[in-house]
């Protein structure tokens, strides 16, 4: 029975969707992590609870410096050793050497960068085809004092929205979308509401990472062997 349960659990994990979502509305921008149907807020962060202030500790007769530092007792005519001087003197922050700075600022081999870019570009292309936009919403309510200008802007907004929808449908798989433009002749401010949820299954993501990670590892090994 166990040999049936374990593959079933692995299959469910591979079908488990992960994603990220964003909302813009009256309360400002919000970003959250999607785990199936659970939303974990990322931005804005919840305010931290103020810590309770501790009661001040009454100082004792001896000062804290005298309690922490115990100077060694030296006999007459005896000089302190180097180790004692190092312990007594405060530790200085070690500055990075000039060689380390030069290594950080040194240019990198362009051929290595090209090999990485040859893998990153197809990886992003395959990732674009694997992800799903589960929800896309956008409401634009135009407002203004001049009705003629408002009508012209209304037509331009619908034309721009039609071009945007064509590009999005060509680039991504969108399950639910609702994009609207409206007019408010009595309003003073233009209002906007938007929401987008992007997800990818764990199995697809692991497949892409393993596939292109193996290619990158293989190319680096081949270059090291040639060198």
């Amino acid at each position: 029975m166990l040999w049936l349960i374990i593959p079933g659990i692995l299959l469910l994990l591979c079908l488990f969707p992960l994603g990220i979502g964003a909302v813009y509305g009256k309360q400002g921008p919000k970003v959250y992590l999607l785990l199936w149907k659970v939303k974990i807020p990322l931005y804005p962060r919840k305010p931290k609870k103020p810590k309770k202030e501790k009661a001040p500790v009454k100082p004792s007769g001896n000062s804290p410096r005298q309690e922490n530092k115990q100077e060694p007792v030296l006999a007459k005519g005896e000089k302190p050793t180097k180790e004692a001087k190092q312990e007594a003197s405060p530790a200085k922050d070690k500055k990075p050497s000039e060689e380390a700075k030069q290594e950080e600022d040194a240019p990198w081999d362009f051929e290595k960068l090209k090999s990485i870019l040859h893998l990153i570009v197809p990886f992003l292309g395959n990732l674009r085809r694997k992800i799903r936009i589960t929800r896309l919403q956008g409401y634009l309510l135009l407002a203004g004092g001049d009705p003629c200008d408002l009508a012209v802007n209304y037509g331009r907004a619908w034309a721009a929205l039609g071009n945007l929808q064509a590009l999005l449908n060509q680039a991504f798989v969108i399950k639910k979308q609702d994009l609207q433009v409206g007019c408010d002749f009595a309003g003073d401010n233009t209002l906007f509401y938007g929401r987008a949820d992007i997800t990818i299954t764990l199995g697809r993501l692991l497949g892409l990472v393993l596939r292109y990670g193996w290619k990158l590892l293989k190319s680096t090994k081949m270059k090291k062997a040639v060198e």
Side-chain angles (χ1 to χ4, degrees):
M1 191 68 181
L2 187 63
W3 63 275
L4 288 173
I5 296 173
I6 293 175
I9 294 172
L10 293 175
L11 181 61
L12 288 175
L13 287 175
C14 289
L15 297 175
F16 190 80
L18 304 171
I20 191 167
V23 177
Y24 183 85
K26 281 186 178 181
Q27 298 179 355
K30 291 183 180 181
V31 181
Y32 47 87
L33 185 68
L34 289 171
L35 300 177
W36 198 275
K37 294 184 179 181
V38 179
K39 297 179 183 178
I40 301 174
L42 299 177
Y43 177 85
R45 295 183 179 179
K46 293 182 179 179
K48 295 182 179 179
K49 295 181 180 179
K51 296 182 180 179
K52 295 181 180 179
E53 295 182 359
K54 296 182 180 179
V57 181
K58 294 182 179 180
S60 58
N62 298 327
S63 63
R65 292 185 179 178
Q66 292 177 355
E67 291 179 358
N68 294 333
K69 294 184 179 179
Q70 296 180 356
E71 296 181 357
V73 180
L74 300 175
K76 291 183 178 180
E78 185 180 356
K79 296 182 178 180
T81 60
K82 291 182 179 180
E83 295 178 356
K85 288 182 179 179
Q86 289 177 357
E87 290 177 359
S89 61
K92 296 181 179 180
D93 296 334
K94 295 182 179 179
K95 296 182 179 180
S97 61
E98 293 182 358
E99 295 180 358
K101 287 184 178 180
Q102 289 177 358
E103 288 180 0
E104 290 179 358
D105 298 335
W108 199 40
D109 189 3
F110 182 68
E111 295 298 326
K112 293 180 180 179
L113 180 61
K114 279 174 63 178
S115 63
I116 293 175
L117 289 176
H118 281 309
L119 290 175
I120 289 177
V121 173
F123 171 77
L124 293 176
N126 286 332
L127 180 64
R128 176 181 61 83
R129 289 188 288 270
K130 299 293 184 183
I131 63 176
R132 299 289 183 267
I133 299 178
T134 55
R135 178 177 293 182
L136 181 63
Q137 291 178 323
Y139 306 129
L140 180 63
L141 185 62
L142 299 173
D146 191 354
C148 295
D149 292 340
L150 187 58
V152 172
N153 293 331
Y154 178 76
R156 289 175 178 174
W158 269 114
L161 182 60
N163 295 330
L164 179 63
Q165 279 183 311
L167 292 173
L168 289 174
N169 291 326
Q170 186 178 1
F172 301 102
V173 176
I174 304 174
K175 292 186 176 180
K176 293 181 181 179
Q177 62 175 325
D178 185 12
L179 303 175
Q180 300 289 335
V181 179
C183 283
D184 185 7
F185 291 97
D188 296 327
N189 298 322
T190 298
L191 304 177
F192 175 76
Y193 172 82
R195 177 178 176 179
D197 294 343
I198 302 172
T199 60
I200 184 173
T201 58
L202 184 60
R204 289 177 175 176
L205 184 60
L206 287 176
L208 287 174
V209 171
L210 292 175
R211 178 183 173 187
Y212 287 95
W214 171 251
K215 285 184 178 181
L216 180 61
L217 183 63
K218 191 176 178 181
S219 64
T220 51
K221 283 184 177 180
M222 289 176 64
K223 287 191 176 182
K224 286 181 180 179
V226 171
E227 291 175 358

